[in-house]
Structures are given as structure tokens and as C-alpha cells.
Amino acid sequence: AQSVTQLGSHVSVSEGALVLLRCNYSSSVPPYLFWYVQYPNQGLQLLLKYTSAATLVKGINGFEAEFKKSETSFHLTKPSAHMSDAAEYFCAVSDTGNQFYFGTGTSLTVIP
Amino acid sequence: EAQVTQNPRYLITVTGKKLTVTCSQNMNHEYMSWYRQDPGLGLRQIYYSMNVEVTDKGDVPEGYKVSRKEKRNFPLILESPSPNQTSLYFCASSLLPLDEKLFFGSGTQLSVL
């Protein structure tokens, strides 16, 4: 089975600072990788996905992620944090397209 | 409005009393799936369905059943709920699993006493 590791269950950044959320995966084949965001009392929303095209993937709300095969990583970044970015972020992986494996999530706090 | 609708939003029940959580999507999506979310464990896939009458186990299917008799509906059935099934449940759908994004419902908070 696949596994996804998100380093840091809680991350705090100042408004305007760089956001970096880490995700490492285990996969024996090139995977499909996703980042989802969850706002309080809501379901998850897709931020971006990697499907073996460009290694740098741009998503919504100014987020992007870079696929690094040698490091088995897919870290999420945003150059300048906004208060509205405060949420729970989940990294997910799939290799079959049927089963998805999610990380344990990272709660992002943005300090004014 | 395109959406995935789950009911109920909150449910408190007792051990052993059968329950069904409904999930319906209005986007004509082929793929539907159920997840449970637990603190410190993230989301774990329970069951998924590639189309009508086609269902398969995810990572944690024990104690759950599903059915896909119609394309739009994918109910989750707990025939004999136990306290370890207390969790936040999400239904999701997509046109195709990887080509399209997953649309999530708003969740069902289940407490089994």
C-alpha cells in the first residue's frame, strides 16, 4: 500500500511570509499526487494535482508544488501567506486511480 | 448547483443499531468513494465505486457496506455500528478518478455510544 507522510502537524507563518508544507510519499511506480485544503466544517477542495506532466504544478489561490522523484517529495508552497489561507492541508497519492491515500494533514495558522 | 450531498450531517446512535448514511451527486459522475477522517490519521478510504454495480474495498472496509444501484447514489451502511466507528465521514465523487478532481460532501459526524 502507498503511504504519505506530512511533516509537521501544525505550521504557523506570519501574514506575507512564505508557506512551505512538506509531503513525502512512498511509491514503487510513478504516482499521481494531490494537495487538498479543508476549511472548518467543510469537505476537502482540490488545490492542485501532479499527473506526470510538468514537475512544477500551479494550483489555485497562488499555491504551487514541485514533484521531486529523487526525494519522493511533493512540497506545497505559496510565496506570501494570506489570512484566508488558514486551514487544514492534506497531501494525497494514488497509483491506480481507484484508491487514494491521504496524509495526516497539516494545520496552517497565519499570524497577522 | 453541482454538489455532493450527504445526510445526515450529525448522527448519534448506539452500538449495534443499523444505520445508513446517504450520499448523492448531481454531476453524473462515474466514480464515488467514502472516507473516514480521524484525528492524527487523516482520511482513509473505506470503499469506492467505479460505476453502477461496481464497488471495491478501500483501505479500511471492515464493518461497512456500500451499494451502487444508481449512478447518483452511494449509501454507506453500518449494519452493527461499534464505538470505534465514531468518526467524521466524507463522500466524494468525480467524473474519472484522476482526470477530474474529487468533489467532497460536507461530511457526516457519527458518534456511536
Side-chain angles (χ1 to χ4, degrees):
Chain A
Q2 300 273 357
S3 69
V4 177
T5 302
Q6 290 183 240
L7 291 174
S9 57
H10 298 275
V11 171
S12 294
V13 299
S14 298
E15 191 174 14
L18 172 73
V19 176
L20 171 61
L21 305 181
R22 300 177 187 274
C23 172
N24 288 86
Y25 65 92
S26 70
S27 174
S28 59
V29 297
Y32 297 92
L33 294 157
F34 308 82
W35 275 100
Y36 282 85
V37 61
Q38 184 180 33
Y39 299 103
N41 298 313
Q42 294 185 26
L44 281 71
Q45 302 171 34
L46 181 69
L47 273 179
L48 50 80
K49 64 179 181 181
Y50 167 78
T51 55
S52 75
T55 56
L56 183 63
V57 182
K58 293 189 184 300
I60 62 172
N61 302 337
F63 284 94
E64 60 182 37
E66 186 173 9
F67 171 65
K68 291 188 177 180
K69 185 178 178 180
S70 61
E71 299 177 6
T72 59
S73 70
F74 190 57
H75 302 330
L76 181 71
T77 60
K78 181 174 181 178
S80 176
H82 191 273
M83 296 299 294
S84 61
D85 294 327
E88 187 94 13
Y89 292 81
F90 291 92
C91 181
V93 63
S94 177
D95 57 6
T96 64
N98 301 329
Q99 290 188 263
F100 291 81
Y101 299 90
F102 285 80
T104 53
T106 298
S107 177
L108 176 66
T109 299
V110 181
I111 303 164
Chain B
E1 179 189 355
Q3 59 185 357
V4 177
T5 303
Q6 288 179 235
N7 280 298
R9 184 75 175 87
Y10 300 94
L11 179 58
I12 300 174
T13 189
V14 296
T15 299
K17 186 176 182 181
K18 181 179 178 179
L19 66 91
T20 299
V21 183
T22 63
C23 174
S24 180
Q25 49 91 6
N26 62 359
M27 296 167 281
N28 202 34
H29 283 171
E30 305 272 335
Y31 179 89
M32 297 185 74
S33 59
W34 276 103
Y35 300 84
R36 60 177 289 173
Q37 183 178 14
D38 301 289
L41 296 177
L43 278 83
R44 292 177 292 169
Q45 193 169 25
I46 304 171
Y47 269 94
Y48 63 92
S49 170
M50 298 295 289
N51 211 327
V52 175
E53 302 292 2
V54 180
T55 63
D56 211 343
K57 296 177 181 178
D59 219 19
V60 289
E62 295 78 20
Y64 304 95
K65 285 177 58 177
V66 292
S67 69
R68 189 93 182 271
K69 293 184 170 59
E70 305 166 282
K71 195 178 220 181
R72 63 182 292 125
N73 295 323
F74 191 45
L76 179 69
I77 303 157
L78 284 71
E79 299 228 325
S80 184
S82 63
N84 64 12
Q85 292 179 297
T86 292
S87 186
L88 178 59
Y89 291 85
F90 287 101
C91 179
S93 73
S94 69
L95 187 59
L96 297 170
L98 292 175
D99 292 343
E100 299 290 335
K101 64 181 181 181
L102 280 170
F103 288 80
F104 280 82
S106 299
T108 296
Q109 181 63 59
L110 172 65
S111 295
V112 183
L113 306 177

